[in-house]
Amino acid sequence: MRENTRSRGNAERLCVLVAVCCAAAAMPLTFTGPAVALPAISRTLGGSPLALNWVTNAFMLTFGSTLMAAGALADAYGRKRMFLGGLAAFGLFSLGLAFAGDIVWFDGLRALQGVGAAAAFSGGMASLAQEFEEGERLRAFSIVGASFGVGLAFGPIASGLVVEAFGWPAIFLLVVALAVFALVLGGIFLRETRDPNAGGLDWKGAATFTLALAFLTFGILQMPEAGWSDPLVLAVLAAAAVFFFIFYRIERSVAQPMLDLSLFRYPRFVGVQLLAAAPAYGFVVLLILLPVRFIGIEGASEIDGGRMMIALSAPLLVLPIAAGLLTRWFAPAAICGTGLLVSAAGLAWLGQFPVGTQPALLVAPLITIGIGISLPWGLMDGLAVSVVPKERAGMATGIFSTTRVAGEGVALAVVTALLSAFTQMNLASAAGANAAGIAQRLVTGNVAAAASVVPSIERVVLFQAYGDAFGALLWLLTAITAATAVIVFLYLGKGTDVVESAAEDPDLVPSTAMDP
């Protein structure tokens, strides 16, 4: 049974909020830090372009594919237990990354780090939903969003400073410090809660979903190297489709599904899932691509590259909280849709500046993108748990977070493949059959390796090909973000609150989840 949150003192609830916020701040460091350090990691550990792409994608793949399972386990076996156990694993594997001796071990530890992060995130957010009543919950989640923004805003510059002073392994010590602090605070002040009607984990669903995402990501990343019509690529993508279909059939038939498909009958629930995927193409991919461009291609230092990223993510320090306050006067759909349109305008603006542009000229479009994405960012997590009964907060958090993180992982794989393909097309006349190999190395920021493939090609030609490809990609991201804004306007503002209707819907009442 869920204890009345009013019986808990404000100081205790504040400490719980701080613990979850510290964990949330550590998450962005796990992908902005390696993005800033990728050229240095490449020089130290080596590895093919595909292996270097997995530096980021391994974490996002396991993080996204295990979130729903972690949310279900949190509801069934305890949210505090899942939060603390996940944090412990997250910190341990983060520490191991600092001592990885080769790129294979590094990528493997990144995958394990993502599993720990999924458990910590699902347990923490579900616990937070139990601590605050409906009126306070949206503001609490807005504060968590701002904490995430702190990690995004200062992660690149902090990582740049640490890399230049101590080397890239030291960036993971920042993550460990935040994880340990959140672990101690959560262990003292967090209370154990669970859903009394929750059943066991849907292992078949969890396994097929993870395999489907793994095959999909691998196939997309393999495309630039092997070709779009390569038999292996086609076989892997076909396997992904098969596993997604099997996952769908399992969730339709099991007594206690990991993903309650009946929720998708509600327009606002669908709108929230679309909103979850929106920042992937309009913001998150830039957190990875821009440091590689600034540091690897344009030759900026890690510190200067990190400083540029502050312009993109600094609005997340304040505006998510402001978005929560704006809900007193404006509908969430209006706030979120407007924010995505602003972000799309910033992407189009950034596309006007070629590679090599003076950094000062990029600040305004980067800030515009950050401002736009900050408005929905502060509302997304609160909306995710507001459209289902609060007893099922773990499942709601898991579904929403899976949509967001898995969407980000797939988006990053797709965008990386497209940037490589665009660059390859631009180099086709100058490099011929070697264009693909040069493009893959440019996308990972390794200009020296790209130039060594065909030494006769001048570097200015390489930079021009990459710059034109990056500009074309920004226009595509602009169109995707603007289209998503329109869809969010239509879906998120449709219908009534699912929380009210769920109590009367036999398909959504937790006690009926055991019915065949």
Side-chain angles (χ1 to χ4, degrees), residues 197-245:
N197 297 299
L201 175 63
D202 172 20
W203 291 106
K204 292 180 181 178
T208 52
F209 184 76
T210 301
L211 287 170
L213 272 183
F215 278 117
L216 178 62
T217 305
F218 180 80
I220 294 172
L221 291 177
Q222 188 70 23
M223 280 181 185
E225 180 176 334
W228 301 81
S229 59
D230 180 74
L232 175 61
V233 171
L234 295 178
V236 168
L237 294 179
V242 169
F243 277 114
F244 274 124
F245 179 75

Side-chain angles (χ1 to χ4, degrees), residues 266-288:
Y266 291 87
R268 292 195 68 232
F269 183 84
V270 175
V272 166
Q273 308 316 310
L274 293 172
L275 180 62
Y281 290 92
F283 178 76
V284 174
V285 295
L286 298 181
L287 297 174
I288 307 301

Side-chain angles (χ1 to χ4, degrees), residues 209-421:
F209 184 76
T210 301
L211 287 170
L213 272 183
F215 278 117
L216 178 62
T217 305
F218 180 80
I220 294 172
L221 291 177
Q222 188 70 23
M223 280 181 185
E225 180 176 334
W228 301 81
S229 59
D230 180 74
L232 175 61
V233 171
L234 295 178
V236 168
L237 294 179
V242 169
F243 277 114
F244 274 124
F245 179 75
I246 295 173
F247 171 73
Y248 168 78
R249 297 297 300 174
I250 289 172
E251 299 308 283
R252 293 272 295 179
S253 61
V254 298
Q256 193 73 18
M258 183 174 70
L259 173 60
D260 188 348
L261 297 174
S262 66
L263 292 171
F264 287 90
R265 293 188 286 115
Y266 291 87
R268 292 195 68 232
F269 183 84
V270 175
V272 166
Q273 308 316 310
L274 293 172
L275 180 62
Y281 290 92
F283 178 76
V284 174
V285 295
L286 298 181
L287 297 174
I288 307 301
L289 297 182
L290 287 178
V292 173
R293 168 178 162 173
F294 294 148
I295 300 168
I297 303 297
E298 297 182 345
S301 68
E302 281 85 359
I303 294 177
D304 289 338
R307 187 181 295 117
M308 285 298 298
M309 297 303 294
I310 293 179
L312 179 67
S313 50
L316 285 169
L317 295 172
V318 177
L319 290 184
I321 298 176
L325 298 175
L326 286 173
T327 56
R328 298 178 179 178
W329 301 284
F330 302 99
I335 297 171
C336 295
T338 300
L340 292 178
L341 289 178
V342 172
S343 184
L347 287 165
W349 191 2
L350 183 62
Q352 303 301 307
F353 300 100
V355 170
T357 299
Q358 287 293 324
L361 298 177
L362 305 180
V363 171
L366 290 176
I367 290 177
T368 302
I369 296 170
I371 289 173
I373 214 66
S374 296
L375 296 177
W377 198 285
L379 303 178
M380 292 191 298
D381 293 289
L383 287 170
V385 297
S386 73
V387 294
V388 298
K390 56 190 174 185
E391 291 81 7
R392 306 179 77 184
M395 176 180 281
T397 301
I399 295 172
F400 170 81
S401 300
T402 296
T403 303
R404 179 166 65 182
V405 180
E408 290 168 359
V410 172
L412 181 59
V414 169
V415 167
T416 302
L418 286 173
L419 181 58
S420 181

Side-chain angles (χ1 to χ4, degrees), residues 106 109 148 150 180 189 216 318 398 405 418 431 439 496 516:
F106 190 92
L109 286 170
F148 203 91
V150 170
V180 169
F189 293 101
L216 178 62
V318 177
V405 180
L418 286 173
T496 58

Side-chain angles (χ1 to χ4, degrees), residues 1-2 71-72 74-76 79 126 129-130 137 193-198 385 388-396 499 502-503 508-511:
M1 294 291 291
R2 181 176 181 272
D75 282 346
R79 290 140 184 160
Q130 309 305 311
R137 192 179 303 143
T193 61
R194 57 175 56 87
D195 180 1
N197 297 299
V385 297
V388 298
K390 56 190 174 185
E391 291 81 7
R392 306 179 77 184
M395 176 180 281
V499 171
L508 296 181
V509 177
S511 60

Side-chain angles (χ1 to χ4, degrees), residues 465-484:
Y466 176 89
D468 291 346
F470 205 98
L473 182 65
L474 286 173
W475 280 111
L476 179 60
L477 298 181
T478 298
I480 293 173
T481 304
T484 306

